[in-house]
Amino acid sequence: MNELTAVRSLATLPVVTLGGDAVAHVKDTVFDPSAGRIASFTLTGRTLLSRPLPRDLPWPAVHCLGRDAVMVRDAGALCDLPLSAVRRDTARGRLLGAQVLTDEGETVGTVLDVLVEGGTSGRLVAFRLAAHRELVHGSRHRRHRVYVPRGEALSVSGRTLVIPAHATAYVSDDVPAFTARVGARHDRGRGAAR
């Protein structure tokens, strides 16, 4: 698995060509919830104080998502779009702040951040939630921050995200513990399939 990256940390990353030219900065990350991956990035100009660009960067044009930059082959990877289309797609693909329900109808929290797989994947892996106390037993905090895996199913309608109820069994407070729990689950699944 490639390194996991928090979507909030992608905002302001430079978009750099393989020739070394910074051609834009990431403004927002747009998801394709049905595919469970990044669909595109909306952009600002070359400096962090620039205005939003009427262009976006579709995921298929990304060469690699790294910790410090989004790499593209050349400036031709950026697509011209009417600003209204950029705003519409950004609103449609926004997960931050969404209410999270299980497929059994229980509210479990609110999305604070999304973890995606870097490299060439762009796969949505997990959500960082402001979890309700019922999700994290024994917590004295009204809102506890935890990671929950995306699971096999994902549904977003308006400002609501629906996750499989069994995904809540893999809740963890930090990324290394989360990765270990999900990795152990993945290894058990492969062992049973052999």
Side-chain angles (χ1 to χ4, degrees):
M1 181 187 300
N2 288 318
E3 184 175 325
L4 298 181
T5 303
V7 166
R8 285 191 186 270
S9 70
L10 298 179
T12 73
L13 273 186
V15 177
V16 180
T17 67
L18 292 178
D21 296 322
V23 293
H25 279 85
V26 172
K27 182 177 184 310
D28 286 312
T29 303
V30 180
F31 290 97
D32 178 349
S34 61
R37 64 183 340 98
I38 296 172
S40 65
F41 297 106
T42 61
L43 305 171
T44 62
R46 291 180 215 190
T47 65
L48 294 178
L49 300 176
S50 298
R51 294 180 144 175
L53 293 177
R55 299 176 138 193
D56 82 340
L57 175 60
W59 181 257
V62 172
H63 175 73
C64 185
L65 171 61
R67 185 179 337 141
D68 300 315
V70 177
M71 301 301 294
V72 295
R73 292 201 184 283
D74 55 43
L78 309 183
C79 295
D80 289 329
L81 286 177
L83 200 52
S84 60
V86 171
R87 287 186 183 130
R88 181 198 65 227
D89 289 347
T90 300
R92 185 182 304 147
R94 186 169 288 157
L95 292 173
L96 302 182
Q99 179 183 16
V100 182
L101 296 169
T102 68
D103 55 2
E104 295 176 352
E106 294 181 41
T107 301
V108 293
T110 305
V111 177
L112 295 173
D113 210 342
V114 179
L115 293 181
V116 294
E117 194 172 43
T120 58
S121 169
R123 188 172 62 92
L124 193 155
V125 176
F127 304 101
R128 184 170 188 230
L129 304 182
H132 289 201
R133 278 195 316 206
E134 296 77 26
L135 182 62
V136 183
H137 300 291
S139 172
R140 295 179 187 197
H141 304 290
R142 183 173 173 346
R143 298 273 187 196
H144 195 75
R145 287 163 171 67
V146 297
Y147 293 92
V148 176
R150 178 179 78 89
E152 296 81 29
L154 172 66
S155 173
V156 177
S157 174
R159 300 296 294 146
T160 304
L161 169 72
V162 179
I163 63 172
H166 65 82
T168 62
Y170 299 96
V171 168
S172 182
D173 289 355
D174 58 47
V175 174
F178 166 76
T179 304
R181 288 184 97 170
V182 173
R185 173 182 167 241
H186 205 36
D187 292 342
R188 279 196 309 267
R190 277 191 288 183
R194 289 181 186 168

